[in-house]
Amino acid sequence: MMDELRELYQEVILDHGKNPRNFRHPDDANREAKGENPMCGDRFMVYLKLKDGVVEDVAFQGRGCAISTASASMMTEVVKGKTEAEAKALFETFHDLCTKDDHDHGDHGPVDEDAMERLMVLSGVRQFPVRVKCATLAWHAMNAAIEGEDKASSE
Amino acid sequence: MDTQITLPTFDVERVRADFPILSRTVHERKGKPGKPLVYLDSAASAQKPRQVIDAMTRFLEEDYSNIHRGVHFLSQTATDQFEEARRKVARFLNAPSERNIVFTRSATEAVNLVAHSYGRTFLSEGDEIIVSVMEHHANIVPWQLLQMDKGIRIRVVPVDEHGVLDLNAYEDLLSDRTKLVAMTHCSNVLGTVTPAKLIARMAHERGVPVLFDGSQAAVHGVVDVQDIDADFYIMTGHKLYGPTGTGVLYGKYDLLKKMPPYQGGGDMIESVSFEGTTFKAPPARFEAGTPAITEVIGLGVALDYMESLGREAIAAHEHDLLQYATQQLSQIDGLRVYGTAPGKGPIISFTLEGVHPHDLGTIVDQYGVAVRVGRHCAEPLMERFGVGATARASFALYNTRAEADALVESVIAVKEFFGA
């Protein structure tokens, strides 16, 4: 199997893709937003429980490819417990990770470095431009939910 | 009686030599050779033979000019070649005359032309249009725009689990309210070929005109619009081994004649004044503005190319590939084919249990195998079969059994990769 594929589909991604974490609809969610990729049919709902500016719970449901499912799953793990500002900084930094070379990454304020290190496994999508939307789909929905929108705006 | 039908021999290797792109490799990387291209996405767009590429280059280098306008030498030469392409299209569809052939930019524009011109003129609130659940979005959304505008209703003929059109349901849907049937002649997802002649006859018994979307059907079989008795028939050049920017609308002349223009502009008018403008007769009436001159001429050459190989021979070759590939793919555990209608076209939509089609597409691509993944611009059909997406391998006149094998091997690799 080619190295590029191994880099894209790392074990962690295959694991999250098959057994997504926080794959549920929390009863006490007070925000939700849809993320949809009309190209491939991936469709996620991201649910947030926001209290006093903190993401107390975050979960998702829907269907998608291994990359989008793994990315959604990992998103729920790293965003939980963050303030709105921290979650948005993670979104922006992660977006750069998927789309830009290292030296072009912007400064999006203080960001959880440990979380970013875990998310590094998804940076393989940079070599597969058509898959970037897969990796960022649930993140856009999460960001939209924080903004109070009901769906992620299409890029 | 001693009659024996012998099909012309189909030398696929010689055919492949006509398509320069097929000799390229993909995914070359530092020091590592690339993979030979296995192009199984011709239902999205077909590759072009050298004959088409050369004809367009030659036209641009030697004869190019605007058409229908000038008195000068080149304009006349270009006009002659453009109009010759119209005659070729007419022959290809067995249309009674080249007057029946309108050039558009795409099949999509051709459907929009009918929806806009015929639909807005002859349909009103409460009228119904019958489509099938297999339609490409291009044969759904133009009618929905008409629906928003005129308050018409769209009725949908279902398919069974094999993807066969439910003719009983079709018969039940036909009523006094039906004002148009707009139906695919071959599904771009399932490969199902619909019984066009019967569909038309049933509609005509109620005086209802029928439009067929032949974007796929015209590629894989012989289409005779007079035998079908189609009122409108649509196809697209880029799937017929011709260039992009070329769509075709065939229309019965008495229908075209009573339809108002779709777009206004140059080349479609008799005379223009601010007191009132008069329009040319069809097909010119529907061809406002400078058309894709070079591309239409290229399309004519593409149709010549198909005729030179023999359209029955092409269909037989593709049918062999379809059967072989279906048989080989079906041996993979967990692989499901969508669309098993008898007599279907060479299109195989499938899913692999435990693997999303998008992941499958990315991985087989690393092996050089180009397939389409996703919803194929046919979302209602995806819903019908309860899948978010499928992978689709489509076969064309230049594909080989070895390429079907390459597809199967790459799908097996996907399966191993995901442990599915």
Side-chain angles (χ1 to χ4, degrees), chain B residues 113-277:
Chain B
L113 190 163
V114 177
H116 201 270
S117 170
Y118 185 87
R120 288 164 73 111
T121 309
F122 298 105
L123 273 72
S124 48
E125 195 170 344
D127 287 347
E128 295 182 355
I129 292 181
I130 296 179
V131 301
S132 86
V133 73
M134 290 183 282
E135 301 313 318
H136 188 284
H137 294 165
N139 197 26
I140 299 174
V141 183
W143 310 118
Q144 288 178 324
L145 294 180
L146 186 65
Q147 184 175 37
M148 286 157 65
D149 202 35
K150 304 288 274 189
I152 59 148
R153 254 184 106 186
I154 298 168
R155 310 299 301 265
V156 184
V157 184
V159 295
D160 71 10
E161 68 277 16
H162 299 289
V164 175
L165 192 74
D166 185 341
L167 283 171
N168 291 327
Y170 171 55
E171 186 161 28
D172 291 344
L173 286 174
L174 280 167
S175 77
D176 296 342
R177 293 181 299 276
T178 312
K179 290 291 162 4
L180 185 70
V181 174
M183 193 86 73
T184 183
H185 191 189
C186 175
S187 160
N188 69 311
V189 179
L190 305 174
T192 304
V193 176
T194 56
K197 199 171 170 172
L198 182 59
I199 289 166
R201 195 171 70 217
M202 288 163 72
H204 290 160
E205 277 165 12
R206 291 182 169 274
V208 177
V210 182
L211 171 149
F212 288 106
D213 173 3
S215 299
Q216 301 291 342
V219 184
H220 304 299
V222 181
V223 172
D224 182 333
V225 290
Q226 295 188 79
D227 180 57
I228 294 170
D229 202 13
D231 299 278
F232 298 108
Y233 197 95
I234 282 159
M235 59 182 196
T236 185
H238 71 96
K239 296 191 207 289
L240 291 159
Y241 311 98
T244 51
T246 56
V248 168
L249 168 67
Y250 159 85
K252 282 186 180 164
Y253 203 71
D254 56 343
L255 282 174
L256 292 178
K257 233 170 30 186
K258 61 182 189 183
M259 286 160 57
Y262 167 53
Q263 292 177 335
D267 217 17
M268 51 77 73
I269 40 79
E270 266 170 5
S271 80
V272 175
S273 79
F274 288 107
E275 285 68 50
T277 289

Side-chain angles (χ1 to χ4, degrees), chain A residues 1-6 8-9 14 18 36 38-43 63-67 128 131 134, chain B residues 29-30 32 35 356 358-360 362-363 366-367 373-376 379 383 386-389 413 417-419:
Chain A
M1 184 63 66
M2 298 77 171
D3 299 344
E4 289 79 8
L5 276 183
R6 280 275 166 238
L8 178 64
Y9 291 102
L14 293 179
K18 265 189 204 158
E36 191 164 16
M39 265 272 296
C40 59
D42 289 359
R43 197 177 288 175
R63 62 186 182 197
C65 62
I67 309 288
F128 295 83
R131 304 306 299 275
C134 306
Chain B
R29 289 193 186 87
K30 326 153 206 86
K32 279 196 237 164
K35 305 276 177 195
H356 191 281
H358 218 162
D359 297 314
L360 183 144
T362 292
I363 293 172
Q366 293 293 310
Y367 288 83
V373 294
R375 300 199 284 210
H376 316 295
E379 215 177 318
E383 292 296 327
V387 283
F417 187 74
F418 280 94

Side-chain angles (χ1 to χ4, degrees), chain B residues 70-83:
Chain B
V71 293
H72 59 76
F73 179 83
L74 281 185
S75 180
Q76 190 55 52
T77 309
T79 301
D80 289 348
Q81 291 178 60
F82 185 87
E83 290 305 321

Side-chain angles (χ1 to χ4, degrees), chain B residues 327-345:
Chain B
Q327 190 184 41
Q328 298 300 310
L329 281 171
S330 302
Q331 286 171 21
I332 300 173
D333 216 26
L335 188 138
R336 183 178 167 193
V337 172
Y338 296 85
T340 48
K344 66 178 269 194

